[in-house]
Amino acid sequence: MSDRRRVLSGIQPTGAGKHLGNYLGAVRHWAAMQDEFECFYFMADLHSLTITPDPAELRQQCRKLVAELLAMGVDPAKSTLFAQSHVPEHPELAWVLSCLTGFGEASRMTQFKEKGGGNVGLFNYPVLQAADILLYQAHAVPVGEDQRQHLELTRDLGQRFNSRYGDTFTVPDPYVQKSAERIKDLQDPTAKMSTSKGGPGVLWVIEDDKQTLKKIKSAVTDTGREVVYDVDGKPGISNLLTILSVASGSSVEALVKEFDGKGYGDFKAAVAEAVLGMFAPVRARFAELIADPGYLDQVLREGAAKAGPIARETMTTVRDRIGLLAPA
Ligand code: TYM
């Protein structure tokens, strides 16, 4: 076993693809962490079933996600990249943890409340997420701000199990990266950019440069002409400043100075140029990868071969601790 600290995170395959928020809030950090940590990244395909996707579409979206992750810099030579559904211990541990989760506790999860109920899978969603994390004894879980509540539940369930049955799980740090930007919708900058919302306010990592350009040019701006950072008063401009800051590597303060006295037009042109520059290599690499489904399947196969034994080891301990008989 490696003595590096272990990092784990997941991402869902459903939807038109990954967007700028997923990239800046999560996947960019995943790629950056690969040299320092022992990283496990997975496609949360079981979580995606909560929206009962069309099977043919789901299959396509899964391959697309693997190609996107590789194109965004996840390197299978450094990290373990696998599909959640290829390691059956995920739903197995989720069942065990669901028996330790209060009904009220699960009902309080905002994601479930926001979606206005739905199926039992959606209700159990955060418990499966806790299982994903605890199975691998992960120390840190790089996610965007929107996942904070699910990480808190994971910690609670890990601690609850440990205090009831003895030390079994590493309780992960409440680790939402400071720089895990909350990227907003370009047309509705008080709401987060999200796959389910879609529309002209969402910048897909994989789309035509022309579409990206058009969406940035027509992004909602605020009254006034000044480029200043003020999330409440100027949510549109503040969101674009965050995006430009991350894409260009300049601080928000430096950008505000740079665009002092210049209009929104110049500013948006700079945002578009930076985003297109950032995505150019990702888009080129994606086109190569998606043309080679055999390679994408191979990455997942090798990933499951590395993830599986760790998950099985944890589950063997769990089964024993909770009093199940070992299979003869
Ligand atoms: P998912 O697939 O919705 O999103 C993947 C990652 O992208 C981040 N993110 C954002 N960050 C900044 N701005 C935004 N607008 C934005 N939108 C999304 C999310 O925070 C996330 O990090 N439940 C998880 C998947 C999951 C998981 C796990 C994650 C399942 N099991 C175990 C970590 C560990 C989800 O729906 O992510």
Side-chain angles (χ1 to χ4, degrees):
M1 190 178 145
S2 161
D3 53 8
R4 287 180 298 169
R5 279 166 71 78
R6 191 172 281 172
V7 156
L8 173 133
S9 199
I11 188 162
Q12 296 191 74
T14 30
K18 291 302 108 187
H19 55 69
L20 182 70
N22 300 131
Y23 179 62
L24 297 184
V27 184
R28 188 174 67 102
H29 301 288
W30 296 9
M33 294 172 102
Q34 298 178 109
D35 290 316
E36 194 180 337
F37 301 96
E38 187 195 8
C39 297
F40 290 81
Y41 299 128
F42 69 94
M43 167 163 86
D45 49 0
L46 296 176
H47 278 109
S48 281
L49 297 181
T50 54
I51 60 163
T52 47
D54 171 75
E57 270 175 36
L58 177 61
R59 218 165 274 131
Q60 224 175 16
Q61 288 164 338
C62 286
R63 288 231 174 76
K64 182 177 183 197
L65 176 65
V66 179
E68 284 180 314
L69 292 174
L70 297 174
M72 286 188 269
V74 173
D75 180 354
K78 295 178 180 169
S79 302
T80 300
L81 177 61
F82 66 102
Q84 185 186 34
S85 66
H86 293 176
V87 183
E89 284 74 13
H90 289 242
E92 187 181 359
L93 180 58
W95 174 256
V96 173
L97 295 176
S98 75
C99 297
L100 293 178
T101 310
F103 189 81
E105 189 176 29
S107 313
R108 280 193 296 278
M109 293 289 120
T110 49
Q111 182 180 278
F112 183 69
K113 286 200 290 191
E114 274 165 14
K115 301 222 162 134
N119 54 47
V120 176
L122 192 62
F123 186 66
N124 268 326
Y125 184 112
V127 179
L128 178 58
Q129 181 160 348
D132 297 334
I133 297 167
L134 296 173
L135 260 185
Y136 295 90
Q137 312 287 359
H139 298 105
V141 186
V143 285
E145 176 69 32
D146 59 326
Q147 297 296 314
R148 186 184 286 278
Q149 199 188 26
H150 292 164
L151 288 196
E152 286 304 327
L153 179 72
T154 303
R155 285 172 55 79
D156 289 346
L157 290 176
Q159 276 155 355
R160 198 170 300 160
F161 189 103
N162 287 349
S163 62
R164 178 152 183 180
Y165 299 108
D167 246 2
T168 306
F169 295 121
T170 301
V171 177
D173 295 332
Y175 188 91
V176 176
Q177 296 208 332
K178 286 246 167 26
S179 55
E181 293 75 16
R182 203 193 269 250
I183 301 299
K184 302 291 168 52
D185 188 281
L186 298 185
Q187 289 298 320
D188 179 7
T190 54
K192 76 169 180 181
M193 188 175 283
S194 85
T195 312
S196 50
K197 190 160 183 218
V202 177
L203 285 187
W204 302 111
V205 174
I206 303 305
E207 66 182 4
D208 217 56
D209 283 3
K210 279 196 211 108
Q211 283 171 290
T212 306
L213 193 63
K214 191 167 160 210
K215 287 178 190 169
I216 294 175
K217 287 225 164 114
S218 44
V220 168
T221 40
D222 314 292
T223 48
R225 297 193 70 242
E226 264 137 73
V227 177
V228 288
Y229 192 82
D230 168 7
V231 175
D232 296 325
K234 283 178 166 266
I237 290 296
S238 302
N239 189 36
L240 291 175
L241 271 168
T242 302
I243 294 170
L244 179 55
S245 166
V246 186
S248 67
S250 306
S251 69
V252 167
E253 299 82 67
L255 291 170
V256 167
K257 241 183 238 155
E258 186 182 334
F259 288 94
D260 184 27
K262 298 188 184 148
Y264 288 166
D266 283 355
F267 173 58
K268 282 184 171 178
V271 175
E273 193 188 322
V275 171
L276 290 177
M278 177 175 76
F279 281 159
V282 176
R283 289 176 177 176
R285 183 82 183 107
F286 175 82
E288 292 168 7
L289 287 159
I290 200 69
D292 192 355
Y295 173 67
L296 302 175
D297 290 348
Q298 181 196 331
V299 167
L300 292 183
R301 194 167 54 241
E302 290 173 2
K306 286 196 268 171
I310 299 171
R312 284 194 283 281
E313 190 186 327
T314 303
M315 261 329 285
T316 302
T317 309
V318 167
R319 285 196 214 104
D320 178 55
R321 294 265 154 92
I322 59 182
L324 298 176
L325 294 178

